[in-house]
């Protein structure tokens, strides 16, 4: 069985893998915000170039990264087609017309923008999860959210819930398989009949799974208590996140990219060659 | 040192299914001792495991760990640092998806500095022979390896006393052997006090002292000579160790064998004399 708790993590030795998860998280947030500031296709070209370099540095195969687009392909196509069909303007002659369907040049441009934006929105975070284990992500999130503990947000508790959930996914999958096999041995069938029959057939799996999960939780709580757990109080960590030189470099590159995107959009110095770009 | 003084424990008190698990049990375990607590299912032996570190509190009587009462809330943290408990199901004792993170959980809870946690994790994994799996995930491990990992997780806290609550019950013979070797070594070399709760008489026979529980009471205790008291063992719903049973069978066929034969090596020695 595949290790679900590793998510889609792609193990490799690369600068991107070694980066501090906090920097990676912040970088992805900046990247996403940046995408929404892009209007010109030159901006998309810039971000594509950035992503290309990042993927090459990460040593993750291209198809692994592109696979994430497949999940949203339908959404992308739907959005693009809809925005082409329903774009309307009075100032422009339609390029092509058939009964009530009118296609404008600006509509095509807008749709392309929308599609590119969606695709880039998926690619960036996917590169994050490909190069960062869920455990690192959890640690990074906990560390980033730590200031919120001051306003009584249970940051530590949320982080430990996350890590226990990650840890239990494979165990529960194994358990589900066991229960399903036990039911199959008694002639239960999960893949025949209409949707209602199938849903009903799931009930005898869910109930034992539920019961055993609670028992598990009980035992796990006892084991945690026995190992001196008492919440965040007085707790230290073995792996302390520490920013290194490479993390500052990465942060600088990210900020530079963001600045470039803003510059392309607002053209503060009124440089004429920028206005030529679409 | 553990002192159990006239402890009573009742499950679901006041409900229809009220059940007395322990009805006035007293015994003590000295430092460095290896004690086996044996009894059939429902003899109250697993209840004791939870009483040793204050996960459950006795209805009457008290449990003292190095003189600290488990009923004293202020002492609970110190008691849990002193008494480490390993439970039956290794899958339900792991908190992290990476082995070193799981072993680090205990030392992290007691607030050690990062460097020391690191050392302890390495030491604990070496003590159970799992150091090469340090960066791996627990899911691909065998049952015996998982339980050794659970032991490492408790060891990393460096408790004086290690309680094992049927920790070999879910393992195959190979896994059981792996775990027993680790426990024996910890007791002999690290001078750790070990309380092993089990229904495998072969394991109990390895202990310095055996306490037999029956119906929530101590039915008998002693060194492994206790196995000579066939009546006690049988009335407690237990079976003699295999070697002792073989010796019995041989004796009934007219072979004269030493009454003390309980371990496989002793049987071999007695037969090959």
């Amino acid at each position: 069985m595949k290790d679900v708790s590793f998510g889609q993590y792609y193990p490799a030795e690369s600068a991107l893998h070694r980066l501090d998860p906090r920097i990676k998280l912040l970088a992805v947030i900046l990247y996403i915000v940046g995408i929404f500031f892009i209007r010109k296709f030159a901006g998309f070209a810039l971000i594509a170039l950035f992503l290309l370099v990042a993927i090459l540095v990460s040593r993750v195969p291209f198809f692994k990264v592109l696979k994430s687009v497949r999940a949203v392909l339908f959404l992308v196509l739907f959005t693009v087609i809809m925005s082409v069909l329903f774009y309307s303007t009075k100032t422009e002659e339609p390029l092509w017309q058939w009964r009530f369907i009118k296609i404008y040049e600006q509509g095509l441009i807008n749709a392309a923008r929308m599609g590119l934006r969606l695709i880039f929105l998926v690619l960036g975070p996917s590169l994050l999860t490909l190069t960062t284990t869920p455990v690192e992500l959890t640690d990074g999130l906990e560390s980033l959210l730590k200031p919120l503990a001051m306003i009584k947000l249970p940051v530590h508790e949320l982080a430990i819930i996350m890590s226990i959930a990650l840890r239990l996914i494979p165990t529960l999958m194994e358990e589900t398989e066991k229960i399903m096999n036990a039911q199959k041995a008694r002639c239960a069938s999960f893949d025949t009949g209409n949707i209602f029959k199938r849903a009903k057939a799931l009930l005898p799996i869910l109930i034992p799974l539920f019961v055993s999960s609670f028992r598990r939780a009980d035992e796990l709580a006892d084991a945690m208590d026995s190992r001196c757990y008492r919440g965040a109080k007085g707790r230290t960590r073995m792996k302390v996140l520490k920013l290194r030189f490479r993390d500052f470099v990465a942060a600088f590159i990210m900020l530079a990219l963001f600045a470039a995107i803003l510059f392309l959009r607002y053209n503060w110095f009124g440089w004429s060659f920028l206005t030529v770009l679409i | 040192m553990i002192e159990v003084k006239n402890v009573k424990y009742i499950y679901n008190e006041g409900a229809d299914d009220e059940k007395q698990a322990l009805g006035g049990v007293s015994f003590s375990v000295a430092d460095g001792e290896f004690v086996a607590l044996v009894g059939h299912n429902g003899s109250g032996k697993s209840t004791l495991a939870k009483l040793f570190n204050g996960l459950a509190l006795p209805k009457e009587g008290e449990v003292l760990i190095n003189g600290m009462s488990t009923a004293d809330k202020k002492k609970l943290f110190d008691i849990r640092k002193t008494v480490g408990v390993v439970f039956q199901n290794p899958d339900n004792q792991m908190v992290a998806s990476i082995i070193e993170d799981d072993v680090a959980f205990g030392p992290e809870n007691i607030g050690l500095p990062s460097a020391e946690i690191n050392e302890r994790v390495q030491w604990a994994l070496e003590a159970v022979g799992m150091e090469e799996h340090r960066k791996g995930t627990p899911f691909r491990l065998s049952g015996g390896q998982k339980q050794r990992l659970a032991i490492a997780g408790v060891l990393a806290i460096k408790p004086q006393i290690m309680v094992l609550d049927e920790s070999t019950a879910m393992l195959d013979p190979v896994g059981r052997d792996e775990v027993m070797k680790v426990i024996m070594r910890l007791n002999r070399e690290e001078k750790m006090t070990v309380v092993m709760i089990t229904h495998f008489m072969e394991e109990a026979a390895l202990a310095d002292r055996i306490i037999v529980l029956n119906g929530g009471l101590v039915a008998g205790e002693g060194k492994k000579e206790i196995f000579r008291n066939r009546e006690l063992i049988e009335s407690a719903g237990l079976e003699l160790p295999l070697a002792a049973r073989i010796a019995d069978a041989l004796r009934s066929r007219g072979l004269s064998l030493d009454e003390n034969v309980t371990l496989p090596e002793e049987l071999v020695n007695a037969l090959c004399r």
Side-chain angles (χ1 to χ4, degrees):
Chain A
M1 193 173 58
K2 200 176 155 263
D3 257 328
V4 202
S5 60
F6 270 86
Q8 50 169 351
Y9 179 68
Y10 181 86
E13 280 289 318
S14 83
L16 217 56
H17 283 76
R18 280 193 299 269
L19 230 47
D20 190 298
R22 291 172 296 179
I23 293 293
K24 283 196 260 189
L25 275 164
L26 290 175
V28 165
I29 292 171
L30 204 59
Y31 168 93
I32 289 171
V33 175
I35 283 174
F36 284 103
F37 275 103
I38 294 178
R39 301 228 51 164
K40 295 191 176 73
F41 285 98
F44 286 116
L46 181 69
I47 212 141
L49 186 75
F50 166 79
L51 214 61
L52 189 76
V53 173
I55 294 171
L56 285 175
V57 168
S58 75
R59 298 202 184 150
V60 177
F62 271 95
F63 75 93
K64 287 259 180 205
V65 187
L66 292 177
K67 236 167 79 179
S68 60
V69 178
R70 214 171 52 189
V72 290
L73 201 59
F74 178 74
L75 184 72
V76 171
L77 287 176
F78 183 78
T79 323
V80 167
I81 291 168
M82 282 301 156
S83 61
V84 169
L85 292 182
F86 290 100
Y87 181 84
S88 75
T89 174
K90 291 267 180 327
T91 57
E92 198 186 320
E93 278 302 301
L95 286 175
W96 186 75
Q97 191 168 2
W98 181 70
R99 295 194 189 178
F100 61 92
I101 300 174
K102 290 176 186 151
I103 293 175
Y104 298 91
E105 190 188 343
Q106 194 55 43
L108 284 174
I109 292 174
N110 277 355
R113 248 185 225 141
M114 205 101 83
L116 283 171
R117 201 167 281 159
L118 273 174
I119 290 171
F120 282 119
L121 273 181
V122 175
L123 286 174
S126 146
L127 193 60
L128 170 74
T129 51
L130 278 162
T131 59
T132 321
T133 61
V135 177
E136 285 177 308
L137 278 179
T138 315
D139 286 351
L141 264 178
E142 182 180 6
S143 172
L144 281 177
L145 294 177
K146 207 173 262 167
L148 295 180
M150 290 209 287
I151 55 163
K152 302 259 183 221
L153 199 81
V155 176
H156 162 75
E157 283 75 6
L158 287 173
I160 202 128
I161 288 169
M162 274 264 280
S163 65
I164 288 175
L166 284 171
R167 130 92 191 83
L168 277 177
I169 290 168
T171 312
L172 289 182
M173 295 221 345
E174 214 176 84
E175 181 123 355
T176 315
E177 216 173 276
K178 256 189 223 165
I179 296 172
M180 275 178 96
N181 283 339
Q183 307 280 10
K184 275 184 197 157
R186 283 174 277 167
C187 300
S189 146
F190 304 109
D191 34 25
T192 55
N194 59 31
I195 190 156
F196 293 107
K197 267 193 181 155
R198 285 190 203 190
K200 228 176 127 186
L202 282 180
L203 214 60
I205 298 173
L206 290 179
I207 291 171
L209 193 65
F210 227 72
V211 172
S212 84
S213 299
F214 275 102
R215 201 175 44 230
R216 241 177 236 290
D218 233 23
E219 282 186 28
L220 188 64
D222 272 353
M224 285 170 74
D225 274 343
S226 298
R227 283 162 78 181
C228 304
Y229 183 68
R230 34 175 200 174
K233 191 173 132 204
R235 190 170 144 83
T236 52
R237 300 304 304 266
M238 173 171 71
K239 292 174 183 164
V240 184
L241 292 173
K242 219 175 129 201
L243 291 177
R244 290 168 198 283
F245 180 65
R246 55 169 177 259
D247 297 310
F248 290 108
V249 173
F252 178 77
I253 293 173
M254 227 28 237
L255 285 171
L257 176 78
F258 191 65
I261 287 170
L262 289 184
F263 193 75
L264 268 177
R265 164 130 188 211
Y266 296 110
N267 190 11
W268 287 304
F269 301 122
W271 289 344
S272 54
F273 74 92
L274 278 179
T275 51
V276 184
L277 298 170
I278 47 165
Chain B
M1 161 157 198
I2 303 176
E3 292 162 275
V4 177
K5 290 182 179 167
N6 194 28
V7 162
K8 285 188 185 167
Y9 191 84
I10 297 165
Y11 275 113
N12 301 326
E13 201 178 355
D16 296 337
D17 51 352
E18 177 178 307
K19 186 176 167 289
Q20 178 171 298
L22 295 170
V25 171
S26 303
F27 62 87
S28 65
V29 179
D31 288 338
E33 212 181 357
F34 180 0
V35 171
L37 276 170
V38 299
H40 63 91
N41 293 340
S43 61
K45 61 188 194 304
S46 278
T47 311
L48 272 170
K50 290 188 179 179
L51 292 172
F52 287 143
N53 73 347
L55 283 176
L57 293 176
K59 173 89 175 69
E60 269 176 48
E62 59 178 348
V63 178
L64 300 176
I65 307 294
N66 290 345
M68 301 177 281
S69 167
T70 56
D72 184 352
K73 284 230 159 55
K74 283 185 219 114
K75 291 278 177 351
L76 207 52
F77 189 63
D78 289 321
I79 286 173
R80 288 183 181 159
K81 276 198 275 187
T82 315
V83 184
V85 184
V86 182
F87 294 96
Q88 186 176 25
N89 188 342
D91 275 326
N92 295 353
Q93 297 175 65
M94 284 183 282
V95 288
S97 335
I98 294 174
I99 287 179
E100 61 173 349
D101 290 349
D102 188 67
V103 178
F105 182 72
E108 285 178 340
N109 287 336
I110 54 179
L112 296 174
S114 162
E116 196 181 341
I117 298 175
N118 215 339
E119 273 166 37
R120 282 196 182 197
V121 168
Q122 187 63 24
W123 171 79
L125 284 172
E126 276 168 15
V128 299
M130 296 276 292
E131 64 274 17
E132 76 267 34
H133 298 284
R134 183 169 174 157
K135 304 270 177 199
T137 74
F139 312 116
R140 300 229 174 87
L141 300 178
S142 71
Q145 286 175 321
K146 279 186 194 171
Q147 197 58 286
R148 269 149 65 197
L149 171 62
I151 293 175
V154 172
L155 264 186
I157 303 168
K158 297 208 171 172
Q160 282 173 30
I161 303 164
M162 175 88 99
V163 177
L164 297 122
D165 180 11
E166 304 220 39
S167 300
T168 58
M170 293 180 78
L171 306 180
D172 59 13
V174 178
R176 211 180 298 154
D177 202 47
E178 287 171 11
V179 170
M180 279 313 292
K181 280 202 180 109
V182 168
I183 295 166
M184 297 290 288
R185 210 182 59 75
L186 288 172
N187 177 248
R188 302 281 135 85
E189 287 168 29
E190 309 279 344
K191 305 282 171 245
M192 194 171 270
T193 311
V194 174
V195 178
M196 196 167 73
I197 295 163
T198 183
H199 58 254
F200 291 108
M201 293 304 122
E202 280 76 19
E203 288 172 3
L206 296 167
D208 298 330
R209 191 154 56 98
I210 298 157
I211 297 173
V212 182
L213 287 171
N214 190 12
L217 293 166
V218 174
E221 66 179 290
K223 295 199 185 314
K224 69 184 168 61
E225 284 75 43
I226 203 167
F227 290 119
R228 250 186 281 178
N229 189 346
R230 314 271 135 141
E231 230 170 278
L232 167 72
I233 300 296
E234 264 154 42
S235 69
L238 299 169
E239 212 175 31
L240 288 173
L242 182 64
R245 272 182 287 146
I246 293 173
D248 273 358
L250 290 172
R251 229 175 272 122
S252 69
R253 295 284 179 91
L255 209 66
S256 75
L257 281 174
D258 189 352
E259 277 278 312
N260 282 327
V261 170
T262 38
L263 297 173
E265 306 88 74
E266 291 170 349
L267 179 64
V268 171
N269 285 340
L271 285 172
C272 300
R273 205 170 31 189

